[in-house]
Amino acid sequence: MPDSVAVADRRPGRPRDTALESSVLSSTVELLLERDTREVTISAITERSGVSRAALYRRWSSREELIAAALDSVRSSIGFRRRDTALETILASYEEAAIDVEGRVGALVKKRVAMGLENDELRALSWNRHVSRRREPIAAEIRHGITSGELSPDVDVEAMIDLINGLYYYQFVVRPAGSDAASIAETRERVRNAVKLVWDGALRRQP
């Protein structure tokens, strides 16, 4: 892809070149799935995408920033559709999202965890620019549970998100899961019960 097509000199207010961004991110994802992470270099990415090094650096300032964006690009946001209670809303929404953590998405989630443990800069970029913003829908739902009287007003929203997310990460990323219907149902029930234990501790108590 020639630079004249990929990107022009960036000026204040100039629209982002979505074709360049899509090409680079998809090429980075392909390389992450195919190779050892140490081999996913800027040179390899420019060769695969056809975008020049200069054009790439006009959009991403470092390899870590690009990889963080690529790892996030395959994740879909959790869609929250209101059920009768905040608990049922969260359970249903997370179960729908968990279906997507298979195949290439699951492989990239695991790779992000492993790379983050080895690279502090990548972990910080992933958190600050991508992971943290995905927490807002569940934070809003927990706050809804507080205002509706379902949950105690002194619930620590951030701590509760950590607990719920940790349960799903452990069950679907860390713990080996069977692919047959019975194993999938067992995993789903186990994680529902675990979330309910967390939720029970946060319920509003009658004086």
Side-chain angles (χ1 to χ4, degrees), residues 97-163:
I99 295 172
D100 292 333
V101 186
E102 299 290 344
R104 67 197 296 267
V105 175
L108 289 166
V109 169
K110 293 171 186 175
K111 185 153 288 192
R112 185 181 68 191
V113 173
M115 292 176 72
L117 292 174
E118 298 175 348
N119 189 320
D120 290 341
E121 181 183 356
L122 177 60
R123 183 167 69 250
L125 283 166
S126 292
W127 173 262
N128 292 328
R129 300 191 182 183
H130 305 289
V131 178
S132 60
R133 67 180 172 81
R134 293 185 179 277
R135 294 163 66 93
E136 183 50 36
I138 184 175
E141 194 57 40
I142 292 171
R143 289 193 292 267
H144 172 75
I146 293 171
T147 57
S148 68
E150 183 179 347
L151 296 174
S152 172
D154 60 357
V155 163
D156 185 326
V157 174
E158 289 297 311
M160 195 160 184
I161 295 172
D162 285 343
L163 288 168

Side-chain angles (χ1 to χ4, degrees), residues 17-79:
D17 189 328
T18 55
L20 177 145
E21 183 169 312
S22 177
S23 176
V24 174
L25 291 178
S26 62
S27 295
T28 305
V29 167
E30 292 169 4
L31 290 168
L32 286 168
L33 289 169
E34 295 171 6
R35 303 184 183 182
D36 183 280
T37 55
R38 290 168 294 186
E39 298 174 357
V40 184
T41 62
I42 294 296
S43 294
I45 294 167
T46 57
E47 181 179 352
R48 176 67 62 92
S49 67
V51 174
S52 74
R53 184 179 291 261
L56 187 150
Y57 277 122
R58 281 197 288 269
R59 173 64 186 87
W60 297 276
S61 63
S62 67
R63 170 181 176 269
E64 284 71 23
E65 183 179 338
L66 170 53
I67 289 177
L71 289 169
D72 188 69
S73 68
V74 298
R75 301 294 305 277
S76 57
S77 298
I78 296 177

